[in-house]
Amino acid sequence: MADVTRESLVHTLEEIALLLELKGENPFKTRAYRNGAEVVQNFEGDIVGRAAADELKGIKGIGNALQQKLYELASTGKLEYFEDLRAEFPPTLFELFELQGLGPKKIKALYDKLGISSVNELKKACQGSEIANLSGFGAKTVEKILGAIETRAKFADRFRLGEVTPLAETLLERLREHPKVNRSAIAGSYRRAKETLHDLDFLVATKEPAELTKFFTDFPEVQEVIAQGDTKASVRLDNGLQCDLRAVSNDHFPFALQYFTGSKEHNVALRSLALKKGLSLNEYDFTGEGDIPKVEEEVDIYRALKLDWIAPELRENRGEIEAACAADLPDLVKLTQLRGTFHNHTIASDGKNTLEEMATAAQEHGLQYLGIADHSKSSFQANGLNETRLVQQIEEIKIINAHFEDFALLSGSEVDILKDGSLDFHNDLLAELDYCVASIHNVFNLPEKEMTNRLIRAMENEHVTMLGHVTGRLLLKRDPYAVNMEKIIDCAAETKTVIELNCNPWRLDMDWRWWHRARDKNVLTSINPDAHSIEQLQFLAYGARLARKGWLRRKDVLNCHSLSEIQAWLRLPKSKR
Ligand code: DGT
Ligand code: CA
Ligand code: CA
Ligand code: ZN
C-alpha cells in the first residue's frame, strides 16, 4: 500500500477538485473538495490516523461524502471514485499537474480553450503565439511554463537513491542466489552512492551468461526488455527504472566491477595513470609489454597501480586518486559507528509514533540516544508545538528517561527560522532544551544575500546547535533555495554551529559536494534521519553513505560520540565546543 500522508490526502482532494472543474461540474461540489483539502492541510492532530479509523465526524468543513472518501483513501491507500474520474481523461493530461507553477485554473484554460492535454502539446503551443494571447496568460507566463517543462525534462528518468535501494537489494539477492552465479554486485552510480541515479548496473560472474541474461529478463518486475544478448541485457521495470545486466567470466569480474562502477571521470584518470606505468586498462583486463599484474579482486587493480583501494563513494575524480597515491585517503565513517541521532519527530507534531515508540525503535537500532526535534509553532501545517506544549514535552521526556539506564531521549526542537533570521521561540525557552535544530520551512524565494543572512543570523544564536536541511532542496522536485554555501560554511566554523546531513531520501542535504570543504574548516556534521516514523530511522543508512561520499571521517560526525560524551559536549557553551 502506498504511504498515506497528510500531503497525499490533500493532493488527491485537490486533484479531484481539478478534475471536476475540467468536467464542468457544479462549482459547489468542486469547492467542497478544495475546502476539504485546506481543512486536512491545516488540521491540528493526526488527520491520517483519524481518517483511517473512520473518525472524522464533527470536523468542520468535511461533510459526509468527503469523510467516506478520506476513510477509503486512508485505510486502503486507494479511492475508486478518484480512479474512475481519472479514467475519463487522457492519461497524459496528468503530466501537466507535474509542472511547477501551473495551477488548476491555467490547466483548465489550456484544456478547454486549446485542447492541450500533454506536456508535448503544451511545449509546441508555447512556441507559437496561441498561449500568450490567451486571457490570463502572457509572454511572461509562457516563459515560466517553458522553464517548468525544462526542469521536468531534466528530472525525467532519474530516481532518488533511497527510493530504489530496497528494490535494488532484492534483485541483487535474487541474482546472488542463482546456482550458476559465482560473484555479483551492483556497480554504477548506485555503488558510488550518488543521490539520484539513472539506472542500475548489475554484474554477475558466471560460466553460463546466456542463462543468466534470460533469468534476468524473466524477472516478474520487468515491463519491457530493451535489449538482450548472450552476455548483457537491459530492461525497464514496472516502476520505470532501467536495469542493465552484464554477465562476465570470473576472471573478468574485478575489471568489469571497477569499470562499471565509474565514474567515467575516475576511470579516465585511472586509465591514464595505468598508461604511464605501461599498462592498458579496460573492462576485461590489463594488457601491455612486460609483467602483467595478477588480479583476483578489485583491490588488486588499484594495488597494481601503486594506489590504496579507493572506496566507491569517492570515485568522482575529486582528488581521490592523488590521495590514494600518497596513502592519504580518509578513513571513512561507517553506519555502525553512529551512537545516536538528533532530528526526529513524534505525534506531537507531524510524526506517526509516540516518544516511547521512537525510543524503543532507536534502541533496536543500537543507538544510545535519540534527539526529539518536533516542529515549532510557525510550522502550523506540520502541527508545530507552541511554548506550552514544548514545555510539556520536556517534562514527558524526563519521565520517560527515568526508565532507561544506558539510553536517553534528548529534548530538542526543530525551531523555525523566521523570515528575518529570528527564531520561532525565545532564548529562555531554547535554553531549557538539550539542543536545537534550526530550519527554514517557509518564504523560500528570498534573494541569495537575504537568505544567506537569514541563516547566518540563526547560526549566531547561542542556542542553535545545528542547521536542519540547509538548502531546502527536494531531489528531483524542488531546487535548493538561493544561498551562498561558502559563507554558510565559514559562519558554521566561526560560530561552532553543526550542519546536519539530513538523510531523508528526498533531501540528502547538505549536498555531498560541500562536506570536504566543511570538514577542512572543522565544521561538524550530524547525520540525522529526520524520522517521522520508526521505520524512517533506517534513513540513517543513506546518510552514512552520503557522508562517506563527502569524505567524512568518524571524527567529523557529532553523533558518533557516545551518550556521555554528547551530554558533556551539549553542556559546553557553543564557543567552547
Ligand atoms: P547513472 O547516469 O546514474 O546511471 O550513472 P552511472 O555512472 O551509473 O553511468 P552508466 O550507467 O551510464 O555507466 C556505468 C559506468 O560505466 C560509468 O560510471 C562508467 C562506465 N562507463 C560507461 N560508459 C563509459 C565510457 O564511455 N567511458 C568510460 N571510461 N567509462 C564508461
Ligand atoms: Ca547506472
Ligand atoms: Ca547503465
Ligand atoms: Zn524540517
Side-chain angles (χ1 to χ4, degrees), residues 158 188-189 192 197-199 201 259-264 271:
R158 290 198 75 81
S189 48
R192 300 200 313 279
L197 18 113
H198 170 67
D199 67 2
D201 301 282
Y259 180 88
F260 290 111
T261 295
S263 66
K264 210 189 227 176
R271 252 197 329 264

Side-chain angles (χ1 to χ4, degrees), residues 78-89:
K78 278 203 203 143
L79 180 61
E80 203 180 315
Y81 173 71
F82 176 52
E83 279 166 27
D84 292 348
L85 202 55
R86 270 181 81 110
E88 292 178 36
F89 296 89

